[in-house]
Amino acid sequence: MTNTPSQTSGVQILEVAPELAGQRIDNFLRNQLKGVPKTLIYRILRKGEVRVNKGRIKPEYRLQAGDLVRVPPLRLAERDEPEPLAQGLLERLEKAIVYEDKALIVLNKPAGIAVHGGSGLSYGVIEALRQLRPDAKELELVHRLDRDTSGLLMVAKKRSMLRHLHQALRGDGVDKRYMALVRGRWETSKKQVNAPLLKNTLRSGERMVEVTEDGKEALTLFRVLRRFGEFATLVEAKPVTGRTHQIRVHARHAGHSIAGDSKYGDEEFTREIRELGGKRLFLHAYALKVPLPDGGELSFEAPVDEMWARTLERLGE
């Protein structure tokens, strides 16, 4: 950084160090601009007020070594420390950690907690983990889960692990599997949905994804795990590609919306599941295999929460 933020900042020009290459621009700004509200950072990114090498960039832009990032004048917070998060949330996430070493954290994320702040939320999993692990200065999300999706989530503690896992995710090195409770009888013969997806942002700012020929290639493999008559099916979903809302949209495209999906679901099916006590999105990242830099492999399975388990018990009665 060439400028140190003060109470009222002018234009700042930040140079990207080599060890930060590959980092998303939003994460870079959150780490560099201490004391600046996250909502303000996301706002200036959305409005195109942040320039890289004098050009406009998208919020998901990944930085290169030597990039010059121009930040407009900002109103800064009174202090650098993040606002303390509720102790109950911190304890809940601490208990959700299923694996941790010097370079990686894997947790079984509860449904209803976002992975990061923004879009009206002041905090998420990554902000909470930064308070739980203040000495881990390089904490970054390896991938994302929708706010209402539960299950296995990876957070890198070192840049080297982040780069390694991003490379593995771009190939076929990481095996991620989900469980979903869907409407109707999913036929055993329907083993995959191969349908291109296009992401749109509505005027309200809400992101919607639809199947269209103009979209990006998207493939999900499905397998029947358990049937509940003609009413519902528990399926395993393995996304081969990693598009936004992929499993949810592919399930609907196949004619079997996921229970509790307020965006792509079936209202009547969701209401019937809620009457059984299932007041959540029934999508859970339950299995994960991850290659390690030394050639080894980590393998995890995460149990569903009590609400999910109880709802399936009642369905099976």
Side-chain angles (χ1 to χ4, degrees), residues 89-122:
L89 171 66
L90 295 177
E91 290 175 1
R92 195 175 174 201
L93 287 177
E94 183 75 60
K95 290 177 182 176
I97 294 173
V98 297
Y99 175 83
E100 183 172 7
D101 61 22
K102 292 180 180 179
L104 180 67
I105 293 174
V106 180
L107 68 152
N108 184 5
K109 184 188 84 68
I113 299 178
V115 295
H116 62 76
S119 301
L121 294 169
S122 60

PDB file of all heavy atoms in Angstrom, residues 89-122:
ATOM      1  N   LEU A  89     -22.975 -17.135  18.009  1.00  0.00           N
ATOM      2  CA  LEU A  89     -22.604 -17.490  16.632  1.00  0.00           C
ATOM      3  C   LEU A  89     -21.181 -18.033  16.576  1.00  0.00           C
ATOM      4  O   LEU A  89     -20.904 -19.043  15.917  1.00  0.00           O
ATOM      5  CB  LEU A  89     -22.722 -16.267  15.729  1.00  0.00           C
ATOM      6  CG  LEU A  89     -22.160 -16.448  14.305  1.00  0.00           C
ATOM      7  CD1 LEU A  89     -22.974 -17.466  13.518  1.00  0.00           C
ATOM      8  CD2 LEU A  89     -22.106 -15.111  13.572  1.00  0.00           C
ATOM      9  N   LEU A  90     -20.273 -17.376  17.284  1.00  0.00           N
ATOM     10  CA  LEU A  90     -18.874 -17.830  17.292  1.00  0.00           C
ATOM     11  C   LEU A  90     -18.767 -19.243  17.863  1.00  0.00           C
ATOM     12  O   LEU A  90     -18.040 -20.087  17.317  1.00  0.00           O
ATOM     13  CB  LEU A  90     -18.015 -16.853  18.103  1.00  0.00           C
ATOM     14  CG  LEU A  90     -17.897 -15.430  17.530  1.00  0.00           C
ATOM     15  CD1 LEU A  90     -17.088 -14.552  18.468  1.00  0.00           C
ATOM     16  CD2 LEU A  90     -17.279 -15.436  16.144  1.00  0.00           C
ATOM     17  N   GLU A  91     -19.485 -19.509  18.947  1.00  0.00           N
ATOM     18  CA  GLU A  91     -19.442 -20.849  19.549  1.00  0.00           C
ATOM     19  C   GLU A  91     -20.041 -21.889  18.603  1.00  0.00           C
ATOM     20  O   GLU A  91     -19.536 -23.009  18.496  1.00  0.00           O
ATOM     21  CB  GLU A  91     -20.203 -20.841  20.878  1.00  0.00           C
ATOM     22  CG  GLU A  91     -19.494 -20.060  21.974  1.00  0.00           C
ATOM     23  CD  GLU A  91     -20.322 -19.952  23.239  1.00  0.00           C
ATOM     24  OE1 GLU A  91     -21.455 -20.501  23.266  1.00  0.00           O
ATOM     25  OE2 GLU A  91     -19.850 -19.319  24.210  1.00  0.00           O
ATOM     26  N   ARG A  92     -21.107 -21.503  17.907  1.00  0.00           N
ATOM     27  CA  ARG A  92     -21.758 -22.424  16.972  1.00  0.00           C
ATOM     28  C   ARG A  92     -20.805 -22.813  15.835  1.00  0.00           C
ATOM     29  O   ARG A  92     -20.735 -23.980  15.433  1.00  0.00           O
ATOM     30  CB  ARG A  92     -23.013 -21.743  16.411  1.00  0.00           C
ATOM     31  CG  ARG A  92     -23.985 -22.680  15.721  1.00  0.00           C
ATOM     32  CD  ARG A  92     -25.226 -21.920  15.329  1.00  0.00           C
ATOM     33  NE  ARG A  92     -26.122 -22.733  14.537  1.00  0.00           N
ATOM     34  CZ  ARG A  92     -27.045 -22.249  13.741  1.00  0.00           C
ATOM     35  NH1 ARG A  92     -27.195 -20.941  13.637  1.00  0.00           N
ATOM     36  NH2 ARG A  92     -27.821 -23.051  13.043  1.00  0.00           N
ATOM     37  N   LEU A  93     -20.072 -21.831  15.328  1.00  0.00           N
ATOM     38  CA  LEU A  93     -19.144 -22.121  14.233  1.00  0.00           C
ATOM     39  C   LEU A  93     -17.908 -22.877  14.726  1.00  0.00           C
ATOM     40  O   LEU A  93     -17.368 -23.718  14.012  1.00  0.00           O
ATOM     41  CB  LEU A  93     -18.743 -20.831  13.520  1.00  0.00           C
ATOM     42  CG  LEU A  93     -19.848 -20.214  12.642  1.00  0.00           C
ATOM     43  CD1 LEU A  93     -19.383 -18.908  12.025  1.00  0.00           C
ATOM     44  CD2 LEU A  93     -20.272 -21.185  11.546  1.00  0.00           C
ATOM     45  N   GLU A  94     -17.464 -22.571  15.930  1.00  0.00           N
ATOM     46  CA  GLU A  94     -16.336 -23.326  16.498  1.00  0.00           C
ATOM     47  C   GLU A  94     -16.692 -24.805  16.599  1.00  0.00           C
ATOM     48  O   GLU A  94     -15.886 -25.679  16.249  1.00  0.00           O
ATOM     49  CB  GLU A  94     -15.979 -22.766  17.876  1.00  0.00           C
ATOM     50  CG  GLU A  94     -14.772 -23.426  18.534  1.00  0.00           C
ATOM     51  CD  GLU A  94     -13.449 -23.001  17.923  1.00  0.00           C
ATOM     52  OE1 GLU A  94     -13.129 -21.804  17.948  1.00  0.00           O
ATOM     53  OE2 GLU A  94     -12.742 -23.891  17.411  1.00  0.00           O
ATOM     54  N   LYS A  95     -17.911 -25.082  17.046  1.00  0.00           N
ATOM     55  CA  LYS A  95     -18.360 -26.477  17.154  1.00  0.00           C
ATOM     56  C   LYS A  95     -18.543 -27.127  15.791  1.00  0.00           C
ATOM     57  O   LYS A  95     -18.509 -28.356  15.670  1.00  0.00           O
ATOM     58  CB  LYS A  95     -19.683 -26.543  17.931  1.00  0.00           C
ATOM     59  CG  LYS A  95     -19.548 -26.232  19.413  1.00  0.00           C
ATOM     60  CD  LYS A  95     -20.905 -26.252  20.098  1.00  0.00           C
ATOM     61  CE  LYS A  95     -20.797 -25.885  21.574  1.00  0.00           C
ATOM     62  NZ  LYS A  95     -22.138 -25.812  22.209  1.00  0.00           N
ATOM     63  N   ALA A  96     -18.766 -26.303  14.753  1.00  0.00           N
ATOM     64  CA  ALA A  96     -19.014 -26.840  13.411  1.00  0.00           C
ATOM     65  C   ALA A  96     -17.732 -27.266  12.697  1.00  0.00           C
ATOM     66  O   ALA A  96     -17.790 -27.935  11.655  1.00  0.00           O
ATOM     67  CB  ALA A  96     -19.750 -25.802  12.561  1.00  0.00           C
ATOM     68  N   ILE A  97     -16.567 -26.895  13.235  1.00  0.00           N
ATOM     69  CA  ILE A  97     -15.298 -27.259  12.595  1.00  0.00           C
ATOM     70  C   ILE A  97     -15.077 -28.766  12.728  1.00  0.00           C
ATOM     71  O   ILE A  97     -15.083 -29.314  13.818  1.00  0.00           O
ATOM     72  CB  ILE A  97     -14.122 -26.481  13.216  1.00  0.00           C
ATOM     73  CG1 ILE A  97     -14.261 -24.988  12.904  1.00  0.00           C
ATOM     74  CG2 ILE A  97     -12.777 -27.010  12.699  1.00  0.00           C
ATOM     75  CD1 ILE A  97     -13.258 -24.097  13.610  1.00  0.00           C
ATOM     76  N   VAL A  98     -14.895 -29.427  11.584  1.00  0.00           N
ATOM     77  CA  VAL A  98     -14.693 -30.878  11.586  1.00  0.00           C
ATOM     78  C   VAL A  98     -13.232 -31.253  11.350  1.00  0.00           C
ATOM     79  O   VAL A  98     -12.826 -32.397  11.593  1.00  0.00           O
ATOM     80  CB  VAL A  98     -15.582 -31.568  10.532  1.00  0.00           C
ATOM     81  CG1 VAL A  98     -17.044 -31.364  10.855  1.00  0.00           C
ATOM     82  CG2 VAL A  98     -15.281 -31.077   9.114  1.00  0.00           C
ATOM     83  N   TYR A  99     -12.428 -30.288  10.861  1.00  0.00           N
ATOM     84  CA  TYR A  99     -11.010 -30.574  10.612  1.00  0.00           C
ATOM     85  C   TYR A  99     -10.250 -29.255  10.599  1.00  0.00           C
ATOM     86  O   TYR A  99     -10.734 -28.240  10.096  1.00  0.00           O
ATOM     87  CB  TYR A  99     -10.833 -31.274   9.262  1.00  0.00           C
ATOM     88  CG  TYR A  99      -9.371 -31.499   8.896  1.00  0.00           C
ATOM     89  CD1 TYR A  99      -8.678 -32.603   9.395  1.00  0.00           C
ATOM     90  CD2 TYR A  99      -8.699 -30.603   8.078  1.00  0.00           C
ATOM     91  CE1 TYR A  99      -7.344 -32.803   9.069  1.00  0.00           C
ATOM     92  CE2 TYR A  99      -7.358 -30.798   7.752  1.00  0.00           C
ATOM     93  CZ  TYR A  99      -6.685 -31.888   8.260  1.00  0.00           C
ATOM     94  OH  TYR A  99      -5.370 -32.085   7.950  1.00  0.00           O
ATOM     95  N   GLU A 100      -9.039 -29.285  11.159  1.00  0.00           N
ATOM     96  CA  GLU A 100      -8.189 -28.101  11.108  1.00  0.00           C
ATOM     97  C   GLU A 100      -6.731 -28.509  11.208  1.00  0.00           C
ATOM     98  O   GLU A 100      -6.355 -29.345  12.044  1.00  0.00           O
ATOM     99  CB  GLU A 100      -8.537 -27.126  12.246  1.00  0.00           C
ATOM    100  CG  GLU A 100      -7.732 -25.841  12.204  1.00  0.00           C
ATOM    101  CD  GLU A 100      -8.201 -24.793  13.207  1.00  0.00           C
ATOM    102  OE1 GLU A 100      -9.085 -25.121  14.046  1.00  0.00           O
ATOM    103  OE2 GLU A 100      -7.705 -23.658  13.156  1.00  0.00           O
ATOM    104  N   ASP A 101      -5.902 -27.951  10.326  1.00  0.00           N
ATOM    105  CA  ASP A 101      -4.450 -28.091  10.461  1.00  0.00           C
ATOM    106  C   ASP A 101      -3.832 -26.710  10.208  1.00  0.00           C
ATOM    107  O   ASP A 101      -4.532 -25.692  10.260  1.00  0.00           O
ATOM    108  CB  ASP A 101      -3.892 -29.177   9.522  1.00  0.00           C
ATOM    109  CG  ASP A 101      -4.147 -28.880   8.040  1.00  0.00           C
ATOM    110  OD1 ASP A 101      -4.366 -27.691   7.696  1.00  0.00           O
ATOM    111  OD2 ASP A 101      -4.119 -29.814   7.226  1.00  0.00           O
ATOM    112  N   LYS A 102      -2.549 -26.661   9.919  1.00  0.00           N
ATOM    113  CA  LYS A 102      -1.873 -25.365   9.778  1.00  0.00           C
ATOM    114  C   LYS A 102      -2.303 -24.602   8.535  1.00  0.00           C
ATOM    115  O   LYS A 102      -2.107 -23.385   8.459  1.00  0.00           O
ATOM    116  CB  LYS A 102      -0.353 -25.578   9.746  1.00  0.00           C
ATOM    117  CG  LYS A 102       0.225 -26.072  11.064  1.00  0.00           C
ATOM    118  CD  LYS A 102       1.719 -26.266  10.953  1.00  0.00           C
ATOM    119  CE  LYS A 102       2.312 -26.767  12.278  1.00  0.00           C
ATOM    120  NZ  LYS A 102       3.777 -26.988  12.165  1.00  0.00           N
ATOM    121  N   ALA A 103      -2.895 -25.310   7.569  1.00  0.00           N
ATOM    122  CA  ALA A 103      -3.196 -24.665   6.294  1.00  0.00           C
ATOM    123  C   ALA A 103      -4.671 -24.668   5.912  1.00  0.00           C
ATOM    124  O   ALA A 103      -5.063 -23.986   4.964  1.00  0.00           O
ATOM    125  CB  ALA A 103      -2.394 -25.339   5.174  1.00  0.00           C
ATOM    126  N   LEU A 104      -5.500 -25.439   6.630  1.00  0.00           N
ATOM    127  CA  LEU A 104      -6.871 -25.630   6.163  1.00  0.00           C
ATOM    128  C   LEU A 104      -7.848 -25.812   7.330  1.00  0.00           C
ATOM    129  O   LEU A 104      -7.523 -26.455   8.328  1.00  0.00           O
ATOM    130  CB  LEU A 104      -6.929 -26.873   5.257  1.00  0.00           C
ATOM    131  CG  LEU A 104      -8.278 -27.264   4.653  1.00  0.00           C
ATOM    132  CD1 LEU A 104      -8.746 -26.215   3.654  1.00  0.00           C
ATOM    133  CD2 LEU A 104      -8.184 -28.636   3.992  1.00  0.00           C
ATOM    134  N   ILE A 105      -9.031 -25.235   7.176  1.00  0.00           N
ATOM    135  CA  ILE A 105     -10.164 -25.491   8.075  1.00  0.00           C
ATOM    136  C   ILE A 105     -11.303 -26.049   7.224  1.00  0.00           C
ATOM    137  O   ILE A 105     -11.586 -25.527   6.145  1.00  0.00           O
ATOM    138  CB  ILE A 105     -10.641 -24.212   8.786  1.00  0.00           C
ATOM    139  CG1 ILE A 105      -9.579 -23.686   9.763  1.00  0.00           C
ATOM    140  CG2 ILE A 105     -11.949 -24.446   9.534  1.00  0.00           C
ATOM    141  CD1 ILE A 105      -9.940 -22.343  10.385  1.00  0.00           C
ATOM    142  N   VAL A 106     -11.939 -27.113   7.694  1.00  0.00           N
ATOM    143  CA  VAL A 106     -13.156 -27.624   7.064  1.00  0.00           C
ATOM    144  C   VAL A 106     -14.239 -27.616   8.126  1.00  0.00           C
ATOM    145  O   VAL A 106     -14.033 -28.123   9.232  1.00  0.00           O
ATOM    146  CB  VAL A 106     -12.953 -29.055   6.511  1.00  0.00           C
ATOM    147  CG1 VAL A 106     -14.248 -29.564   5.864  1.00  0.00           C
ATOM    148  CG2 VAL A 106     -11.807 -29.088   5.499  1.00  0.00           C
ATOM    149  N   LEU A 107     -15.394 -27.012   7.802  1.00  0.00           N
ATOM    150  CA  LEU A 107     -16.475 -26.999   8.775  1.00  0.00           C
ATOM    151  C   LEU A 107     -17.780 -27.460   8.134  1.00  0.00           C
ATOM    152  O   LEU A 107     -17.945 -27.420   6.919  1.00  0.00           O
ATOM    153  CB  LEU A 107     -16.648 -25.616   9.400  1.00  0.00           C
ATOM    154  CG  LEU A 107     -17.152 -24.469   8.528  1.00  0.00           C
ATOM    155  CD1 LEU A 107     -17.886 -23.451   9.391  1.00  0.00           C
ATOM    156  CD2 LEU A 107     -15.991 -23.790   7.829  1.00  0.00           C
ATOM    157  N   ASN A 108     -18.686 -27.925   8.987  1.00  0.00           N
ATOM    158  CA  ASN A 108     -20.021 -28.329   8.569  1.00  0.00           C
ATOM    159  C   ASN A 108     -20.928 -27.117   8.778  1.00  0.00           C
ATOM    160  O   ASN A 108     -21.525 -26.951   9.831  1.00  0.00           O
ATOM    161  CB  ASN A 108     -20.495 -29.526   9.395  1.00  0.00           C
ATOM    162  CG  ASN A 108     -21.841 -30.067   8.948  1.00  0.00           C
ATOM    163  OD1 ASN A 108     -22.403 -29.621   7.957  1.00  0.00           O
ATOM    164  ND2 ASN A 108     -22.363 -31.028   9.690  1.00  0.00           N
ATOM    165  N   LYS A 109     -21.001 -26.251   7.768  1.00  0.00           N
ATOM    166  CA  LYS A 109     -21.711 -24.974   7.901  1.00  0.00           C
ATOM    167  C   LYS A 109     -23.196 -25.184   8.160  1.00  0.00           C
ATOM    168  O   LYS A 109     -23.856 -25.901   7.416  1.00  0.00           O
ATOM    169  CB  LYS A 109     -21.536 -24.133   6.630  1.00  0.00           C
ATOM    170  CG  LYS A 109     -22.168 -22.736   6.732  1.00  0.00           C
ATOM    171  CD  LYS A 109     -22.153 -22.004   5.418  1.00  0.00           C
ATOM    172  CE  LYS A 109     -23.320 -22.363   4.523  1.00  0.00           C
ATOM    173  NZ  LYS A 109     -24.634 -21.896   5.046  1.00  0.00           N
ATOM    174  N   PRO A 110     -23.729 -24.550   9.202  1.00  0.00           N
ATOM    175  CA  PRO A 110     -25.179 -24.646   9.428  1.00  0.00           C
ATOM    176  C   PRO A 110     -25.962 -23.913   8.343  1.00  0.00           C
ATOM    177  O   PRO A 110     -25.470 -22.936   7.763  1.00  0.00           O
ATOM    178  CB  PRO A 110     -25.371 -23.962  10.790  1.00  0.00           C
ATOM    179  CG  PRO A 110     -24.005 -23.916  11.414  1.00  0.00           C
ATOM    180  CD  PRO A 110     -23.047 -23.816  10.282  1.00  0.00           C
ATOM    181  N   ALA A 111     -27.178 -24.362   8.075  1.00  0.00           N
ATOM    182  CA  ALA A 111     -28.057 -23.650   7.148  1.00  0.00           C
ATOM    183  C   ALA A 111     -28.408 -22.288   7.727  1.00  0.00           C
ATOM    184  O   ALA A 111     -28.506 -22.117   8.944  1.00  0.00           O
ATOM    185  CB  ALA A 111     -29.326 -24.466   6.906  1.00  0.00           C
ATOM    186  N   GLY A 112     -28.565 -21.293   6.865  1.00  0.00           N
ATOM    187  CA  GLY A 112     -28.988 -19.970   7.299  1.00  0.00           C
ATOM    188  C   GLY A 112     -27.868 -19.007   7.608  1.00  0.00           C
ATOM    189  O   GLY A 112     -28.126 -17.838   7.902  1.00  0.00           O
ATOM    190  N   ILE A 113     -26.615 -19.455   7.539  1.00  0.00           N
ATOM    191  CA  ILE A 113     -25.471 -18.573   7.783  1.00  0.00           C
ATOM    192  C   ILE A 113     -24.743 -18.356   6.454  1.00  0.00           C
ATOM    193  O   ILE A 113     -24.354 -19.319   5.794  1.00  0.00           O
ATOM    194  CB  ILE A 113     -24.506 -19.165   8.824  1.00  0.00           C
ATOM    195  CG1 ILE A 113     -25.228 -19.349  10.164  1.00  0.00           C
ATOM    196  CG2 ILE A 113     -23.292 -18.264   9.002  1.00  0.00           C
ATOM    197  CD1 ILE A 113     -24.363 -19.979  11.241  1.00  0.00           C
ATOM    198  N   ALA A 114     -24.575 -17.090   6.067  1.00  0.00           N
ATOM    199  CA  ALA A 114     -23.878 -16.777   4.826  1.00  0.00           C
ATOM    200  C   ALA A 114     -22.387 -17.074   4.977  1.00  0.00           C
ATOM    201  O   ALA A 114     -21.849 -17.070   6.087  1.00  0.00           O
ATOM    202  CB  ALA A 114     -24.081 -15.311   4.467  1.00  0.00           C
ATOM    203  N   VAL A 115     -21.719 -17.321   3.843  1.00  0.00           N
ATOM    204  CA  VAL A 115     -20.283 -17.600   3.928  1.00  0.00           C
ATOM    205  C   VAL A 115     -19.479 -16.315   4.095  1.00  0.00           C
ATOM    206  O   VAL A 115     -18.370 -16.340   4.609  1.00  0.00           O
ATOM    207  CB  VAL A 115     -19.773 -18.400   2.698  1.00  0.00           C
ATOM    208  CG1 VAL A 115     -20.398 -19.777   2.658  1.00  0.00           C
ATOM    209  CG2 VAL A 115     -20.009 -17.652   1.395  1.00  0.00           C
ATOM    210  N   HIS A 116     -20.043 -15.166   3.663  1.00  0.00           N
ATOM    211  CA  HIS A 116     -19.349 -13.895   3.865  1.00  0.00           C
ATOM    212  C   HIS A 116     -20.360 -12.768   3.938  1.00  0.00           C
ATOM    213  O   HIS A 116     -21.518 -12.907   3.508  1.00  0.00           O
ATOM    214  CB  HIS A 116     -18.329 -13.625   2.756  1.00  0.00           C
ATOM    215  CG  HIS A 116     -18.938 -13.502   1.393  1.00  0.00           C
ATOM    216  ND1 HIS A 116     -19.614 -12.383   0.960  1.00  0.00           N
ATOM    217  CD2 HIS A 116     -18.976 -14.377   0.363  1.00  0.00           C
ATOM    218  CE1 HIS A 116     -20.031 -12.563  -0.261  1.00  0.00           C
ATOM    219  NE2 HIS A 116     -19.673 -13.774  -0.655  1.00  0.00           N
ATOM    220  N   GLY A 117     -19.937 -11.628   4.487  1.00  0.00           N
ATOM    221  CA  GLY A 117     -20.794 -10.470   4.568  1.00  0.00           C
ATOM    222  C   GLY A 117     -21.008  -9.837   3.206  1.00  0.00           C
ATOM    223  O   GLY A 117     -20.360 -10.194   2.223  1.00  0.00           O
ATOM    224  N   GLY A 118     -21.922  -8.860   3.145  1.00  0.00           N
ATOM    225  CA  GLY A 118     -22.276  -8.225   1.881  1.00  0.00           C
ATOM    226  C   GLY A 118     -23.753  -8.419   1.609  1.00  0.00           C
ATOM    227  O   GLY A 118     -24.400  -9.244   2.245  1.00  0.00           O
ATOM    228  N   SER A 119     -24.285  -7.670   0.632  1.00  0.00           N
ATOM    229  CA  SER A 119     -25.706  -7.751   0.267  1.00  0.00           C
ATOM    230  C   SER A 119     -26.602  -7.593   1.504  1.00  0.00           C
ATOM    231  O   SER A 119     -27.536  -8.364   1.701  1.00  0.00           O
ATOM    232  CB  SER A 119     -25.997  -9.083  -0.433  1.00  0.00           C
ATOM    233  OG  SER A 119     -25.218  -9.218  -1.587  1.00  0.00           O
ATOM    234  N   GLY A 120     -26.254  -6.609   2.337  1.00  0.00           N
ATOM    235  CA  GLY A 120     -27.083  -6.325   3.505  1.00  0.00           C
ATOM    236  C   GLY A 120     -26.670  -7.077   4.753  1.00  0.00           C
ATOM    237  O   GLY A 120     -27.186  -6.810   5.833  1.00  0.00           O
ATOM    238  N   LEU A 121     -25.732  -8.027   4.631  1.00  0.00           N
ATOM    239  CA  LEU A 121     -25.258  -8.775   5.797  1.00  0.00           C
ATOM    240  C   LEU A 121     -23.919  -8.209   6.248  1.00  0.00           C
ATOM    241  O   LEU A 121     -23.031  -7.973   5.434  1.00  0.00           O
ATOM    242  CB  LEU A 121     -25.084 -10.264   5.443  1.00  0.00           C
ATOM    243  CG  LEU A 121     -26.369 -11.022   5.099  1.00  0.00           C
ATOM    244  CD1 LEU A 121     -26.010 -12.386   4.523  1.00  0.00           C
ATOM    245  CD2 LEU A 121     -27.234 -11.188   6.328  1.00  0.00           C
ATOM    246  N   SER A 122     -23.769  -8.004   7.545  1.00  0.00           N
ATOM    247  CA  SER A 122     -22.517  -7.433   8.040  1.00  0.00           C
ATOM    248  C   SER A 122     -21.472  -8.491   8.358  1.00  0.00           C
ATOM    249  O   SER A 122     -20.322  -8.173   8.614  1.00  0.00           O
ATOM    250  CB  SER A 122     -22.800  -6.596   9.300  1.00  0.00           C
ATOM    251  OG  SER A 122     -23.366  -7.428  10.307  1.00  0.00           O
TER     252      SER A 122
END
